[in-house]
Amino acid sequence: MAANANWQDGNTKGEPGSSLHGVTGREPVFQMTMETVGEKEATDLKGRKFALPVDSEHKAKTVRLYSVAAPHMRTFHLSWIAFMICFFSTFAAPPLMPVIRDNLGLTKVDIGNAGIASVAGAVVSRLLMGTICDLVGPRYGCAILMMITAPAIFCMPLVSTPVGFILVRFFIGFCLATFVSCQFWMSSMFNSKIVGIANGTAAGWGNMGGGIVQLVMPLVFDIIRRDIGSEKFTAWRIAFFVPGVLQVMMGLLVLTLGQDLPDGNYAELKREGEKVNDSFQKVFLYAVTNYRTYIFALTYGYCFGVELTVDNIIAEYFYDRFDLNLQTAGIIASTFGLMNLFSRPLGGVLSDVVAARWGMRGRLWNLWIIQTVGGVLCIVLGLTGQLGPAIAVMLIFSFFVQAACGATFGVIPFISRRSLGIISGATGAGGNIGAVTTQGIFFMSSKYTTEDGIMLMGIMIVACTLPVIFVHFPQWGSMFCPPSKATEEDYYISEWSKEEQSNGLHHASMKFAENSKSERGRQSPPRSKEETVGVDRL
Amino acid sequence: MVSRAQIGLALALGLLALVSTAEGGVLFSNLTRTLAVEATIQSTNSTTGVAHVGSDHLVVSWALNSSLADSGLDAKYVNVNIKLCYAPVSQTDRGWRKTNNDLHKDKTCGKGIGSQKYVPGGNTTNWRITKDVPGAIYFVRVYAVDADGVQLGFGQTTNAAKSSNLIEILPISGRHASIDVASAIFSVFSVGSLISFLGVEAIRSKKAANARAGK
């Protein structure tokens, strides 16, 4: 494989090509890649042919959304549906809040605490899930998490005090870590050229669960109340069996139909030393000493964190401010989450399109503009007092906020090659921390009305997106500064000590560096001196 | 760029929203307190001032204030709307029950007890407290309305500060033994099926490993 192979060359193996890649970056650092031999005849360990074209690692090279062929597409669908159901369960209470708050005598502080609790648990569970997937595989990780948190969902019908409500929402919230298992699983099943689209689509469709639930729960509540004749205060409790049963069913499906790797399950396969584990301490060190990690954790807190916050408050907001009934408020609130069907994938695609012309600087500008516009629209939403315009503003706001999430993960894969997994996990956790903070400051006390809280949240989005200006890549520049003479190789090799380099552990990073030259954009001046140096290093 | 046009559109919509005027409603401070209202709890238990939903009744009697009998203030009264209203202690920290002088936006009186035709001599209604009434401290207010439903006067069981003669209503919990049992069964099923699944797979892989070792 020529070191100077064009990054657009479809034959380069195992290199991240487009933006949304390696969202968990749990791809093994040292895995030896082999030339594809007669890819059409690739078979799994049991000798069966794959339904999709695969590469040398048996990862699929295309995504066929309409197929459920084992193992790749079946995994895709199991994975995103599982994640979606976890989102569904975590946000099952907010659309029914007008009924729950009367039943349990909740105050605004209680509701705020419960909202914070629902997203706080996932901060820790997301950080741990990456390691769990590494140890036992994404299939077990996802299924175990879902079936262990299902009893928490079944505890919701038993709740009778504000404290109980807060605790139950806290424990249900742990299942949001299925985001990590979903992305990890995609990265194991799909070739790195398309893992970006696969991951972005799965994440977007999973996030839709926060929208679908706002539609479904009021409907289920209504059916139980009307057709079964239950009292309001009983009907909402019965309604909670829906997310619980769905989650158990999905957990069982994942266990029975799922498969960790294209060739089989972790337990069945022998790991024959193809995969050498990197040193956790080193990987952790390079993640925490890279300032970009913190900046993106903060900014993701103000796009994904805002999305989580809005999922928690929007139905109650429309119910109270515009005097709608539960079902109508739910339908309107659901459109916010449902926009994820295309807005998050589009955010990443936009990032790629901009990068083709302007490189990494384009990606950073793209992210900053989208997220800032989202912030401005949030301010407008808080100020809008009429129902029709409020819905319109909310829809446009949701597009920008979710596109910003997609655009963030267009930049993350380039921050570090070695510590990509931890940085992605930290970014995800930062999203949840942003949700915790925002709900705590603006939606807890009666100091701010909900509409003022939304407006102030918009101001905070704009303020907390400004740090993107300070993200500087020596080889590509930043929003306002041009690149220095450093090269991609210089940047990525700085993560390896001289000793590790002499052992040849940095080769995969060098391959990545070569391919990441695409982030220079078109018409960048040739830096031939550095090119030669880079080749020598290889 | 597309996003700039969208910013412009969004700002325009926002400005329109700010500029458009809201409908004016009747102000509570403009209403005259012309009715005398009394509410008593008909209860099977002996605690005074406390009512249980579902089993207890609220007997509300209202009439035109005797001192205003010939004042002509009630000339336009057509109906009365009897409502159950939150006392201030149940409104604190709960913005969805907030009192607003504009009766269109006022959320103090969430629950309607009933509606009757207006007669100067007054009337009584017996209301069984429904099971969807939240647990809180209440008073009863009666609005006298004209033919279009616009409020003209009112009366309430408590004083202007809403601090005297309040009614405490105890709610249902909403829980049922059958729900508790179903909850327990589903939870045990979830964890149990997971453990048995993992166990079966562990046994199977041990067997396979033994078979491979035995070969």
Side-chain angles (χ1 to χ4, degrees), chain B residues 104-117:
Chain B
H104 266 282
K105 298 184 184 165
D106 182 40
K107 310 240 174 132
T108 322
C109 300
K111 187 73 187 161
I113 292 176
S115 204
Q116 293 181 313
K117 275 217 158 331

Side-chain angles (χ1 to χ4, degrees), chain A residues 101-103 105-109 111 139-140 143-144 146-148 150-151 154-155 157-160 231-234 237-238 241 245 248 252 255-256 267-268 270 316 319-321 323 369 373 376-377 380 383-386 389 392-393 396 400 444-446, chain B residues 1-3 6-7 9-11 13-18 20-22 86 92-98 104-105 107 130-135 171-176 178-184 186-191 193-194 197-198 201-202 205 212:
Chain A
R101 69 190 179 194
D102 276 345
N103 191 182
L106 303 176
T107 63
K108 188 167 184 184
V109 173
I111 298 176
R139 183 180 70 118
Y140 275 2
I144 290 174
M146 287 179 85
M147 295 180 83
I148 297 259
F154 292 120
C155 280
L158 311 181
V159 152
S160 51
E231 286 301 326
K232 263 169 48 169
F233 292 171
T234 305
R237 294 169 186 275
I238 301 177
F241 279 88
V245 168
V248 173
L252 287 174
L255 275 178
T256 50
E268 292 166 23
K270 278 192 189 166
E316 217 181 338
Y319 181 91
D320 288 332
R321 190 169 190 196
D323 286 321
I369 288 173
V373 170
V376 168
L377 287 166
V380 173
L383 296 173
T384 309
Q386 305 296 85
V393 172
I396 306 172
F400 279 93
M444 274 267 282
S445 65
S446 297
Chain B
M1 272 171 63
V2 170
S3 55
Q6 276 174 319
I7 300 170
L9 177 66
L11 279 174
L13 282 171
L15 281 170
L16 274 174
L18 291 174
S20 56
T21 52
Y86 295 106
T92 46
D93 224 7
R94 293 181 174 97
W96 54 91
R97 293 178 183 171
K98 203 159 159 216
H104 266 282
K105 298 184 184 165
K107 310 240 174 132
T130 51
K131 286 189 178 170
D132 60 353
V133 171
I172 56 166
S173 71
R175 290 178 58 178
H176 278 276
S178 50
I179 297 179
D180 295 354
V181 169
S183 238
F186 278 107
S187 302
V188 167
F189 175 73
S190 177
V191 177
S193 55
L194 175 71
F197 214 98
L198 295 179
E201 288 210 343
S205 71
R212 238 178 268 139

Side-chain angles (χ1 to χ4, degrees), chain B residues 40-131:
Chain B
T40 42
I41 303 170
Q42 252 181 21
S43 170
T44 45
N45 68 24
S46 54
T47 338
T48 50
V50 174
H52 289 89
V53 306
S55 55
D56 294 347
H57 295 247
L58 219 51
V59 179
V60 180
S61 49
W62 57 271
L64 184 66
N65 218 329
S66 46
S67 57
L68 303 169
D70 297 314
S71 61
L73 277 171
D74 59 342
K76 294 199 186 135
Y77 293 1
V78 176
N79 289 312
V80 297
N81 292 335
I82 308 164
K83 292 191 184 274
L84 192 64
C85 308
Y86 295 106
V89 64
S90 289
Q91 289 176 301
T92 46
D93 224 7
R94 293 181 174 97
W96 54 91
R97 293 178 183 171
K98 203 159 159 216
T99 299
N100 192 319
N101 203 18
D102 182 344
L103 285 178
H104 266 282
K105 298 184 184 165
D106 182 40
K107 310 240 174 132
T108 322
C109 300
K111 187 73 187 161
I113 292 176
S115 204
Q116 293 181 313
K117 275 217 158 331
Y118 173 75
V119 285
N123 209 336
T124 310
T125 186
N126 187 319
W127 180 65
R128 187 177 189 179
I129 306 175
T130 51
K131 286 189 178 170

Side-chain angles (χ1 to χ4, degrees), chain A residues 10 129 249 279 281 289 338 417 422 437 440 470 490 498:
Chain A
M129 191 56 147
M249 272 171 37
S279 147
Q281 280 147 336
T289 52
L338 289 173
R417 185 65 185 91
I422 293 196
T437 318
F470 300 114
D490 296 334
K498 286 274 175 263

